[in-house]
Amino acid sequence: MDISDLQHFLEQTDKADITRVFDNLMKGSRNHLRAFVGQMELLGETYLAQYLTPDEIDAIVDSPREIGAY
């Protein structure tokens, strides 16, 4: 849900400082999603997309861990 909300808020601003904060928050949220889905898979469970599409989830999970910028 955080990623979906942040995507929406990013569309609402053109301020560089706010965009940088939202971009970093999205990186953290994508990292959390990767970790969460990975742990579920270790337990034999499957994550079902709720706020993002399954394709968006797969793209995030299949991409490398991200580091925020200052």
Side-chain angles (χ1 to χ4, degrees):
M1 184 173 182
D2 289 344
I3 295 169
S4 179
D5 287 344
L6 288 166
Q7 287 171 335
H8 170 75
F9 293 134
L10 269 169
E11 294 169 2
Q12 308 301 314
T13 188
D14 59 356
K15 297 182 188 237
D17 56 342
I18 294 173
T19 298
R20 185 173 52 249
V21 169
F22 286 166
D23 283 338
N24 282 321
L25 288 170
M26 283 192 31
K27 288 176 185 178
S29 292
R30 288 189 297 259
N31 286 338
H32 288 145
L33 179 63
R34 287 182 193 97
F36 182 74
V37 170
Q39 289 299 307
M40 286 186 68
E41 289 174 351
L42 287 174
L43 295 171
E45 300 293 330
T46 301
Y47 178 78
L48 299 175
Q50 297 175 19
Y51 295 96
L52 301 173
T53 67
D55 288 340
E56 290 172 316
I57 298 292
D58 289 344
I60 292 168
V61 170
D62 293 339
S63 64
R65 183 178 170 273
E66 300 170 83
I67 298 172
Y70 299 97

